[in-house]
Amino acid sequence: MPGRPRHVLPPDACDAHCHVFGPYDRFPLRHASSYAAPDAPVARYLTMLDTLGARRGVLVQPAPYGTEPSALLDALRQAPDRLRGVAVADADVTDAQLRALYDGGVRALRFVEARDPAGRLFPGSVGFDRIAALAPRMKQHGLHAQLWAPCDVHARHLPALARLGLTLVIDHMASLVPARGPGDAAFQLLRGLLADGAIWMKLSLCRVGTAPDYADARYLHDAFAAANPDRIVWGSDWPFVRMGDKAPAADALLDLAWDWLGTDALRHKVWVDNPARLYGYTPG
């Protein structure tokens, strides 16, 4: 759990990427997890948001729950004006199910193209190959696509995906590799797509940069902020699954983002205006 940040977020600020798990007696995992499942029920998550000073939050369904949305929808029901969700669904999902997801506060479906050494998707994930088939119905039901993959996989798929006319949100700064430098072809492609308004970018540092100061990823963060300040949002990634003793403190990540964003105008865009548009929040 975080401490209190040094900086006070603006009213209606949003942490746009977190996860809830459990309670496990009500919402058991549906797939074997490749990490120790955390103690992160919705009550603890809301306390975390309160500690950060974030009124709003976006919950992303973790892979061990697969396409079963009960834990996510239950969490969203606890604070419907405050929370939005990103669910997981395969191409066989019905229109009634998509409508129920939207009515329950879900605004996106997540697609993951991360594979194990044998080439298999992580259990519970839905791959990028399902997006084209789902895109027309996602648009019909007010849902966008959230994408997570290694940076070179993004580079292979995004030009075609951008032609679908579906809002695309890229997780975790596209899993770029800071050591490749600003000349990296994947980075150049992603920055260009962001500048053109073809994608949104989540500024979540902890999966990209090197703790504790993440200085190696500063150029990526600043380039995305400059490329299109109207298409970036911030997420802590609490409760930092798969990170173990390397997990950061969410308040430290928030304070770092505050310093890097630099101006109150940009902070307001990233924490308030942009997530309000992307996730359909009404004025508070």
Side-chain angles (χ1 to χ4, degrees):
M1 294 295 281
R4 198 57 85 166
R6 290 184 290 109
H7 301 288
V8 178
L9 288 172
D12 294 329
C14 180
D15 181 344
H17 195 106
C18 291
H19 309 280
V20 292
F21 291 79
Y24 294 110
D25 59 342
R26 295 177 59 206
F27 305 112
L29 301 181
R30 295 306 178 102
H31 298 273
S33 178
S34 60
Y35 50 82
D39 178 22
V42 63
R44 194 164 192 235
Y45 162 68
L46 290 171
T47 299
M48 188 279 301
L49 279 188
D50 290 341
T51 304
L52 290 184
R55 179 172 178 266
R56 295 168 171 169
V58 178
L59 288 169
V60 179
Q61 177 141 322
Y65 279 113
T67 59
E68 171 50 62
S70 297
L72 174 66
L73 292 174
D74 179 75
L76 299 179
R77 280 193 292 270
Q78 307 304 311
D81 294 332
R82 189 176 184 185
L83 303 181
R84 296 291 183 267
V86 177
V88 178
D90 212 331
D92 59 358
V93 66
T94 67
D95 284 329
Q97 289 170 324
L98 291 174
R99 185 164 55 251
L101 288 174
Y102 184 90
D103 291 346
V106 170
R107 294 297 177 266
L109 299 181
R110 191 187 201 196
F111 300 90
V112 173
E113 198 58 39
R115 297 177 180 270
D116 66 18
R120 297 172 299 225
L121 286 174
F122 291 140
S125 300
V126 174
F128 286 8
D129 59 340
R130 301 294 197 269
I131 299 173
L134 277 165
R137 292 195 297 140
M138 290 173 66
K139 287 185 279 187
Q140 176 187 347
H141 291 284
L143 302 171
H144 64 259
Q146 181 171 306
L147 312 180
W148 181 49
C151 60
D152 292 329
V153 175
H154 278 306
R156 288 199 302 272
H157 287 271
L158 280 174
L161 293 175
R163 293 193 289 270
L164 295 174
L166 182 67
T167 298
L168 305 174
V169 180
I170 311 302
D171 267 358
H172 304 317
M173 297 175 66
S175 303
L176 288 160
V177 181
R180 293 187 184 182
D184 176 38
F187 165 61
Q188 292 292 340
L189 174 67
L190 285 150
R191 182 172 62 177
L193 289 170
L194 180 63
D196 292 341
I199 61 173
W200 290 67
M201 185 67 65
K202 285 194 177 183
L203 302 179
S204 44
L205 276 172
C206 65
R207 304 281 173 182
V208 176
T210 304
D213 61 6
Y214 300 96
D216 56 338
R218 175 72 186 264
Y219 78 93
L220 299 171
H221 176 282
D222 290 356
F224 289 143
N228 196 336
D230 294 319
R231 292 289 183 100
I232 52 176
V233 294
W234 180 87
S236 68
D237 197 25
W238 185 91
F240 311 111
V241 298
R242 290 195 183 93
M243 299 195 74
D245 59 6
K246 295 182 179 179
D251 55 302
L253 294 173
L254 187 155
D255 284 329
L256 186 65
W258 180 284
D259 293 340
W260 286 9
L261 290 170
T263 69
D264 286 342
L266 184 55
R267 293 169 189 135
H268 204 275
K269 281 180 180 286
V270 170
W271 271 305
V272 183
D273 300 336
N274 295 348
R277 286 189 293 112
L278 181 58
Y279 298 106
Y281 286 106
T282 56

